[in-house]
Amino acid sequence: MMDSVVDLASRVMTEADLPPPDTKRWVMRRKAEVVAGVRCGLISLEEACRRYTLSVEEFLSWQRLIDSHGVRGLRATRLQDYRQGEKATLAE
């Protein structure tokens, strides 16, 4: 497992590296691939949201979690812990 999206974006990405448009099960790796694809310019934010039926806020939350906690921050079982930490920081 890669520790950061930089690892994914540092190699040349193609559309074949992106998850299929009908993806229903969003594991850490697939979320990181979409974020890396947007960051390296392979796909626009708008196109990614449309293709994967994501809200802009959901995509941006993936991006924030990667920036704050690395790809492991995208783990669904840890999401609530990370988000609670973000809320506490914002409240301060």
Side-chain angles (χ1 to χ4, degrees), residues 1 4 18 23 27 30 37 40 55 60 70 74 81 86-88:
M1 180 61 56
S4 73
L18 294 172
T23 297
V27 296
R30 290 183 186 139
C40 76
S55 68
L60 293 176
L74 295 171
D81 293 339
E86 287 177 4
K87 288 178 184 176

Side-chain angles (χ1 to χ4, degrees), residues 10-84:
S10 66
R11 62 185 168 86
V12 176
M13 287 187 71
T14 67
E15 192 165 333
D17 295 313
L18 294 172
D22 61 348
T23 297
K24 300 291 185 236
R25 188 166 178 263
W26 284 102
V27 296
M28 295 182 312
R29 179 185 49 81
R30 290 183 186 139
K31 292 175 185 180
E33 289 166 348
V34 173
V35 171
V38 171
R39 285 186 169 172
C40 76
L42 179 62
I43 187 171
S44 71
L45 171 61
E46 294 80 15
E47 186 178 348
C49 290
R50 184 174 44 256
R51 179 178 181 156
Y52 299 111
T53 319
L54 304 171
S55 68
V56 172
E57 182 53 44
E58 184 172 18
F59 174 86
L60 293 176
S61 75
W62 292 357
Q63 193 166 260
R64 279 191 304 271
L65 286 165
I66 288 170
D67 291 345
S68 298
H69 307 287
V71 172
R72 293 183 191 277
L74 295 171
R75 180 173 281 144
T77 56
R78 302 301 303 173
L79 204 51
Q80 187 174 1
D81 293 339
Y82 293 133
R83 286 191 173 156
Q84 286 175 353

